[in-house]
Amino acid sequence: MTAPPTAGSATAESATAAPASGKAATKHVFQADMVRVLTFACVIAVHTVSTVNPLDSVPGGAVVMLLHFTREAFFILTAFVLMHRYRVSSLRVAPFWRRRFLLVGVPYVVWSVIYTGLGLVTAPLAPADAATTLLRNLLTGTAWFHMYFLLVSMQFYLVFPVFRWLLRATRGHHLLLLTGSALLQVAIDLWLHDPAPTGTKADLLPYLGSFLLSYQFFLVLGGIVALHLDRVEAWIRGHPVLVVAGFVLTGAAAEGWYWWSIVQGVGAQFATDVFQPLMIPWSVAVVAVFFVIGSAWSDRRAGGRFSRMVEGASDRSFGVFLVHPAILWAVTVAGVDSPAAQLTPPWSSFAAYAVAVVGSLLIVEVLQRTPLATPLTGRPQRSQLVPRWLVGRAQLRRRAWKAAGHEERNDDRHPVGPART
């Protein structure tokens, strides 16, 4: 499992000691690619439903309730990837910070400017007020509804050396640590899920979703799973029925709680609040099921086109995360005259979702082949003109053969030996 990930999140890897050199070797965790892709598909869905439908839509809220695991999953994945990458490998703090803050911090600033600008399109401000708004957005992660994730990720990168030390220092006591963290998360959620905050609390609540401690359990869980991946994976693989049962039961409980809240007169927006204790087991259950799906896929993957599509989508997920709200804004900003408003629910959500997914993938594909790749997608510029997932295996083999200095027969099928110089 992995962020994002975000661009700053490393490719999911498991480190093992290399017997000859004593250095840490890495092994890709393919399940993480599927978990990441499924999570990002769901985050676009929750943003689509929330953007296209009124915030107080009761049917829309029923869907959002089940999709509101995504931010918790993000942080589980982020901590998992980083802790897995550095569970054996040494951590050089300065290079670690430099890379993470380059690949996440720069896009954070750039997209905060972009989204603040989009906000000013519909709510213009005087230049001085606009500058103040931009500064506040940068400091609080509130330029748009998804930017908090980048700010919290950077907070986690900042404390990761201490986080890593803590998990390594408490080996043998991780169950106790996880239990204490879960209880603390319940207390945090109860405090944050306040229908009528007053005073200083009312002033702080709009920004606490951008604060690291608001998600501490999910980070601790991801880190601990990374250190015990073999045992956790073996348990999940050995108990798929229990994992699915947990998914069904916690999902039913979350949905039941939502409808009970609605019956009690609670508004749909507050009833779907992500900071509710019930969301803790639901989020964990969803990630576990996604890992089961990822395991089934990784066991059968053979480098075919579908596998390359999953891996390609995983690699582009951070860019898609950054771009897709702008597309949703474009199809809804005109209100009743917007493209999304020309369809009735739920078709408006389905159409907007398809446009957001396809549009953001295409935009990211183009951006990653320009000098703007890093500031806009958090990834280095690509030189390959044709996406790898569109290329057949035979073509990839031919390219690899030619890159090694070999010629091909005229029928373009069979390599014949080293090229003459």
Side-chain angles (χ1 to χ4, degrees):
M1 300 176 297
T2 43
T6 70
S9 298
T11 300
E13 296 166 333
S14 81
T16 56
S21 65
K23 295 182 179 179
T26 57
K27 178 183 175 183
H28 192 81
V29 181
F30 287 101
Q31 296 94 322
D33 293 326
M34 181 62 76
V35 173
R36 183 190 284 119
V37 168
L38 292 174
T39 301
F40 274 92
C42 289
V43 80
I44 297 175
V46 71
H47 290 164
T48 299
V49 175
S50 300
T51 302
V52 173
N53 300 279
L55 292 177
D56 60 353
S57 168
V58 173
V63 176
V64 168
M65 185 68 181
L66 293 179
L67 293 172
H68 247 172
F69 68 88
T70 49
R71 70 171 69 185
E72 291 91 339
F74 277 164
F75 294 116
I76 293 173
L77 296 172
T78 298
F80 173 88
V81 170
L82 291 182
M83 198 63 205
H84 206 198
R85 172 66 179 84
Y86 293 104
R87 66 175 183 173
V88 174
S89 302
S90 61
L91 175 65
R92 298 172 57 206
V93 175
F96 171 82
W97 280 341
R98 183 166 57 249
R99 174 173 172 77
R100 303 293 157 179
F101 286 111
L102 171 66
L103 295 181
V104 176
V106 173
Y108 174 73
V109 173
V110 171
W111 282 100
S112 290
V113 173
I114 292 172
Y115 282 114
T116 298
L118 291 183
L120 293 174
V121 169
T122 54
L125 295 173
D129 293 333
T132 300
T133 298
L134 174 60
L135 179 60
R136 182 176 65 248
N137 289 343
L138 286 168
L139 293 175
T140 61
T142 53
W144 215 255
F145 50 67
H146 66 317
M147 297 300 290
Y148 72 91
F149 176 71
L150 280 71
L151 184 58
V152 176
S153 295
M154 289 188 287
Q155 295 170 37
F156 183 58
Y157 300 154
L158 188 64
V159 304
F160 179 71
V162 176
F163 178 86
R164 176 176 179 266
W165 169 84
L166 174 64
L167 293 194
R168 290 162 66 95
T170 55
R171 284 184 181 275
H173 306 283
H174 284 165
L175 181 59
L176 181 62
L177 176 64
L178 190 62
T179 301
S181 178
L183 293 175
L184 177 59
Q185 190 67 49
V186 170
I188 290 172
D189 285 356
L190 288 172
W191 190 80
L192 291 174
H193 188 65
D194 189 341
T198 58
T200 303
K201 184 177 182 180
D203 296 332
L204 291 176
L205 275 183
Y207 306 105
L208 291 180
S210 301
F211 186 47
L212 180 71
L213 287 180
S214 298
Y215 312 99
Q216 55 81 32
F217 168 73
F218 306 102
L219 295 167
V220 172
L221 175 62
I224 289 178
V225 169
L227 292 177
H228 301 277
L229 179 59
D230 291 342
R231 294 171 59 186
V232 173
E233 181 178 356
W235 190 92
I236 289 177
R237 285 179 177 273
H239 302 83
V241 175
L242 286 179
V243 172
V244 173
F247 171 82
V248 172
L249 290 175
T250 55
E255 195 69 3
W257 176 260
Y258 168 78
W259 285 108
W260 183 86
S261 299
I262 294 297
V263 170
Q264 298 301 309
V266 177
Q269 185 175 5
F270 187 73
T272 60
D273 182 22
V274 70
F275 294 112
Q276 300 186 73
L278 196 65
M279 299 304 294
I280 299 174
W282 168 235
S283 301
V284 174
V286 174
V287 173
V289 163
F290 283 0
F291 192 82
V292 168
I293 297 171
S295 296
W297 166 70
S298 70
D299 290 344
R300 293 165 176 79
R301 65 177 298 280
R305 180 163 295 179
F306 178 73
S307 293
R308 293 196 300 275
M309 287 178 64
V310 172
E311 293 161 16
S314 176
D315 188 57
R316 291 156 179 76
S317 59
F318 184 56
V320 170
F321 178 79
L322 293 169
V323 170
H324 80 273
I327 297 177
L328 292 175
W329 175 84
V331 300
T332 59
V333 66
V336 295
D337 296 322
S338 65
Q342 306 312 305
L343 298 173
T344 58
W347 307 112
S348 54
S349 295
F350 290 143
Y353 180 79
V355 170
V357 171
V358 175
S360 56
L361 281 171
L362 291 174
I363 290 172
V364 170
E365 198 65 44
V366 172
L367 290 176
Q368 287 191 341
R369 285 160 174 77
T370 72
L372 297 175
T374 297
L376 290 177
T377 72
R379 291 281 189 250
Q381 182 179 355
R382 297 177 184 272
S383 57
Q384 186 181 6
L385 295 179
V386 180
R388 185 174 181 271
W389 62 269
L390 288 176
V391 181
R393 277 180 290 182
Q395 291 174 278
L396 290 172
R397 285 196 295 269
R398 289 197 296 273
R399 288 182 180 181
W401 186 270
K402 294 178 71 175
H406 298 279
E407 292 178 339
E408 294 178 333
R409 294 188 188 274
N410 291 334
D411 62 7
D412 202 34
R413 286 180 296 178
H414 304 290
V416 295
R420 292 189 179 95
T421 58

